[in-house]
């Protein structure tokens, strides 16, 4: 049952009884939308297009991948194209689904679909960010150096980068 609700979050309480007889009460965040997407956009030079954006949760700027919520009625691919155009001002002729990642399975029901975006072309849509996002190019072959940076902290982006690198290596 719902124990709290805000503009962004709904918190549910769950009573569970395990096979060994132990009973627990869990609380979890329930997603309010249709899902979310995160893209690893890679240009023809083998560079990843990253964004620098403010993260209210960490109260600092972070270097990460383009991502966003799926609108109701929107497919994963449509959401990915829209977010790419809003955040990095490119679309992708090719989108390849890699994996659905859970964010924190202990207390969050939601996840994020990770896609590789290739054959990029210039295209722009107005986004909902409070300030323009800085786009940073980084060689995919040098992800190890990237993830050591102090401003690269988002675990799902780090996982997505390594998954994309492995996926591309297996393709070639």
């Amino acid at each position: 049952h719902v124990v709290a609700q805000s503009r962004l979050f709904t918190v549910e309480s769950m009573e569970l009884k395990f096979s060994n007889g132990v009973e627990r009460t869990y609380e979890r965040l329930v997603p309010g939308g249709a899902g979310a997407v995160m893209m690893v956009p890679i240009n023809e030079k083998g560079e990843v297009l990253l964004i620098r954006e403010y993260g209210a949760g960490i109260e600092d700027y972070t270097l990460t991948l383009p991502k966003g919520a799926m609108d109701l009625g929107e497919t994963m691919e449509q959401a990915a194209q829209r977010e790419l155009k809003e955040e990095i001002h490119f679309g992708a002729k090719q989108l390849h689904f890699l994996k659905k990642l859970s964010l924190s399975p202990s207390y969050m029901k939601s996840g994020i679909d990770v896609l590789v975006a290739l054959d990029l072309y210039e295209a722009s849509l107005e986004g909902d960010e409070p300030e323009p996002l800085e786009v940073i190019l980084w060689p995919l072959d040098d992800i190890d150096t990237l993830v050591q940076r102090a401003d690269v902290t988002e675990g799902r982006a780090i996982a997505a980068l390594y998954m994309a690198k492995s996926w591309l290596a297996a393709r070639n």
Side-chain angles (χ1 to χ4, degrees):
H1 63 278
V2 174
V3 295
Q5 196 158 8
S6 75
R7 180 177 61 85
L8 295 176
F9 302 106
T10 298
V11 181
E12 286 182 342
S13 178
M14 297 174 28
E15 305 288 334
L16 294 177
K17 184 174 184 176
F18 290 87
S19 60
N20 62 0
V22 173
E23 295 182 19
R24 281 282 153 81
T25 300
Y26 288 95
E27 290 183 351
R28 68 180 181 183
L29 292 173
V30 180
V37 292
M38 173 178 274
M39 290 69 60
V40 184
I42 303 168
N43 67 18
E44 71 284 348
K45 296 178 185 175
E47 299 166 320
V48 178
L49 284 74
L50 303 156
I51 57 170
R52 182 179 314 284
E53 69 178 344
Y54 186 77
I58 61 170
E59 298 181 37
D60 202 357
Y61 284 87
T62 184
L63 193 55
T64 188
L65 292 167
K67 63 192 164 303
M70 291 171 53
D71 292 337
L72 290 176
E74 198 173 41
T75 67
M76 173 179 34
E77 292 81 5
Q78 289 168 333
Q81 292 288 3
R82 178 180 47 76
E83 290 292 341
L84 288 168
K85 292 171 186 175
E86 289 176 359
E87 296 190 358
I88 64 167
H89 307 292
F90 281 91
K93 292 180 185 172
Q94 295 183 52
L95 289 171
H96 301 276
F97 174 77
L98 292 180
K99 184 178 180 92
K100 183 177 193 78
L101 296 175
S102 61
L103 304 181
S104 183
S106 297
Y107 69 93
M108 293 179 79
K109 190 175 180 179
S110 61
I112 195 163
D113 294 311
V114 178
L115 300 99
V116 173
L118 301 172
D119 293 333
L120 305 179
Y121 60 91
E122 288 188 38
S124 192
L125 290 172
E126 188 173 332
D128 58 359
E129 286 75 26
E131 63 183 356
L133 299 176
E134 181 183 359
V135 177
I136 306 291
L137 302 176
W138 195 276
L140 185 64
D141 289 341
D142 195 21
I143 295 303
D144 292 338
T145 302
L146 175 67
V147 301
Q148 296 303 315
R149 290 174 53 124
D151 61 350
V152 178
T153 61
E154 187 175 4
R156 59 191 181 170
I158 292 169
L161 288 163
Y162 280 110
M163 287 188 310
K165 185 176 179 182
S166 293
W167 179 82
L168 282 171
R171 257 183 87 188
N172 296 333

